[in-house]
Amino acid sequence: FKKGWYTEISDDWPGVAQSYEIEKEIAHEKSKFQDIQIFKSKRCGMTMSIDGAIQSTEMDEFAYHEMMAHIVLYSHPNPKRVLIIGGGDMGVAREVLKHKCIELVDNCDIDDKVTELSKKHFPHLTDIPLKDPRYHIMFQDGAKFMESKVNYYDIIITDSTDPTGPAVSIFNKSYYEKVFKALRPGGIICSQGESYWLDLDIVLNLRNIMKEVGFPVVEYSTIQIPTYPFGSIGCIIGSNAGSCKKPRRAMTKEEADSMKYYSKEMHEASFVMPQFFKKRFESE
Ligand code: AAT
């Protein structure tokens, strides 16, 4: 490796790796579950990597966090209770809390070390949730947490690492069976849906699982994010509220002004798929 550079090498994306010149190494801690590295990148600002995969950089975290929250929140006519599984860095929570109609946000991450380090080094993610009385964070395996909840949430968001390591338990059918039960009528699930360039099999597998557990509508919304492998990721959405391709609620001026990526136009455009992906996603 070139000295002073971080290279994102992983068996999850064999044969390719993006590199970042490091301005400053900040922290490197092994938690009970994961290996967490924090550094300041010359180009992308404060960066967190877990088990060798970039989770967020200051430059583009808003693309992922806004889309993971707002696509489904604006697709639901009247959301009140939200659950975030994973997302212990609070980036998705920061976005969810922009919606005044939300009464409660529960957040369950497996690893309190992610949250502890985020509070210290990523205040642009944690400051708003920490001050909001609607927000509650707890630490437990997301699959385990789901067992206790029935007919309770309007929206569930799985903001999880890739399906290796501790996230294995939240990428399978038994997790989605619990998700389906935990949603109220008209409820919607949105999960970190991986990239169709990188992991088409994972995307199709998640789509199959969501259909099998009973979601009448399963859709994929693309997010452009330069610091995830191959520059894109997506939301995979299971909906009991019909198609999410068009927003059902209008943004207030305050909400619209606070966005850096999301807009009504981005919402609608994100569901348009390239032909090779559309054929696979819609036919098999
Ligand atoms: N918002 C930042 C991006 C993330 S966060 C992923 C989170 O999922 C981590 O904080 C991790 O601790 C948590 N996590 C992993 N497994 C579980 C589990 N079983 N239960 C609850 N939380 C879990 C995702 C970035 C995606 C990167 C794509 N390459």
Side-chain angles (χ1 to χ4, degrees), residues 4 9 78 81 84 88 151 170 181 197 217 220 234 245 253 259 272:
I9 291 178
N78 184 27
R81 293 186 197 142
I84 302 162
N151 193 21
I170 51 178
K181 287 194 191 119
W197 288 113
V217 174
Y220 184 96
K245 289 185 180 175
K253 169 143 189 349
M259 304 294 176
V272 179

Coordinates of all heavy atoms in Angstrom, one line a residue, residues 4 9 78 81 84 88 151 170 181 197 217 220 234 245 253 259 272:
G4 N 0.4 6.5 3.8 CA -0.4 7.7 3.9 C -1.7 7.7 3.2 O -2.4 8.7 3.0
I9 N -9.9 -2.3 0.6 CA -9.8 -3.6 0.0 C -10.7 -4.5 0.8 O -10.7 -4.5 2.0 CB -8.3 -4.1 0.1 CG1 -7.5 -3.3 -0.9 CG2 -8.2 -5.6 -0.2 CD1 -6.0 -3.7 -0.9
N78 N -48.9 9.5 6.3 CA -49.0 10.0 7.6 C -48.1 9.3 8.6 O -48.6 8.7 9.6 CB -50.5 9.9 8.0 CG -50.8 10.5 9.4 OD1 -50.1 11.4 9.8 ND2 -51.8 9.9 10.0
R81 N -44.4 6.9 13.7 CA -43.3 6.2 14.5 C -42.3 5.5 13.5 O -42.7 4.8 12.6 CB -43.9 5.0 15.3 CG -44.8 5.5 16.4 CD -45.2 4.4 17.3 NE -46.3 4.7 18.1 CZ -47.3 3.8 18.4 NH1 -47.3 2.6 17.9 NH2 -48.3 4.2 19.2
I84 N -35.1 2.8 13.3 CA -33.8 2.7 12.5 C -33.0 1.5 13.1 O -32.7 1.5 14.3 CB -33.0 3.9 12.6 CG1 -33.8 5.2 12.0 CG2 -31.7 3.8 11.7 CD1 -33.2 6.5 12.4
G88 N -26.0 3.7 13.9 CA -25.6 4.2 15.2 C -24.8 5.5 15.1 O -24.6 6.2 16.1
N151 N -46.9 -4.7 15.1 CA -47.9 -3.7 14.7 C -47.7 -2.3 15.3 O -48.5 -1.7 16.0 CB -49.3 -4.2 15.1 CG -50.4 -3.4 14.5 OD1 -50.2 -2.7 13.5 ND2 -51.6 -3.4 15.1
I170 N -29.3 -9.4 9.9 CA -30.4 -8.5 9.4 C -30.5 -8.5 7.9 O -31.0 -7.6 7.3 CB -30.2 -7.1 10.0 CG1 -28.8 -6.5 9.8 CG2 -30.6 -7.1 11.5 CD1 -28.6 -5.1 10.4
K181 N -44.1 -7.9 10.5 CA -45.1 -8.0 11.7 C -45.0 -6.7 12.5 O -46.0 -6.2 13.1 CB -44.7 -9.1 12.6 CG -45.2 -10.5 12.0 CD -45.1 -11.5 13.1 CE -45.3 -12.9 12.5 NZ -44.1 -13.8 12.8
W197 N -24.3 -2.5 -9.5 CA -23.0 -2.7 -10.2 C -22.2 -3.8 -9.5 O -21.5 -4.6 -10.2 CB -22.2 -1.4 -10.3 CG -22.8 -0.4 -11.2 CD1 -23.3 0.8 -10.9 CD2 -22.9 -0.5 -12.7 NE1 -23.7 1.4 -12.0 CE2 -23.5 0.7 -13.1 CE3 -22.4 -1.5 -13.6 CZ2 -23.7 1.0 -14.5 CZ3 -22.7 -1.2 -14.9 CH2 -23.3 0.0 -15.4
V217 N -45.5 -4.5 -2.7 CA -44.7 -3.7 -3.6 C -43.3 -3.7 -3.2 O -43.0 -3.5 -2.0 CB -45.2 -2.2 -3.7 CG1 -44.3 -1.4 -4.5 CG2 -46.7 -2.2 -4.2
Y220 N -36.7 -0.4 -6.0 CA -35.3 0.0 -5.7 C -35.1 1.4 -6.2 O -35.4 1.8 -7.3 CB -34.4 -1.0 -6.5 CG -32.9 -0.8 -6.3 CD1 -32.2 -1.6 -5.3 CD2 -32.2 0.2 -7.0 CE1 -30.9 -1.4 -5.1 CE2 -30.8 0.4 -6.8 CZ -30.2 -0.4 -5.8 OH -28.8 -0.3 -5.6
G234 N -28.2 1.7 -3.0 CA -29.6 1.9 -3.2 C -30.4 1.6 -2.0 O -29.9 1.1 -1.0
K245 N -42.8 5.4 -5.8 CA -42.1 6.1 -6.9 C -42.3 7.6 -7.0 O -41.6 8.4 -7.5 CB -42.3 5.5 -8.2 CG -41.7 4.1 -8.4 CD -41.9 3.5 -9.7 CE -41.2 2.1 -9.8 NZ -41.4 1.4 -11.0
K253 N -41.2 24.5 3.0 CA -40.1 25.3 2.5 C -38.8 25.0 3.3 O -37.7 24.9 2.8 CB -40.4 26.8 2.5 CG -39.2 27.7 2.2 CD -39.6 28.9 1.4 CE -38.4 29.7 0.9 NZ -37.1 29.5 1.4
M259 N -32.3 20.4 2.4 CA -31.8 19.3 1.7 C -30.6 19.6 0.8 O -30.5 20.7 0.2 CB -32.9 18.7 0.8 CG -34.1 18.3 1.5 SD -33.9 16.9 2.6 CE -35.6 16.9 3.3
V272 N -35.8 5.3 -11.7 CA -35.6 4.9 -13.1 C -34.3 4.0 -13.1 O -33.3 4.3 -12.6 CB -35.4 6.1 -14.0 CG1 -35.1 5.7 -15.4 CG2 -36.6 7.0 -13.9

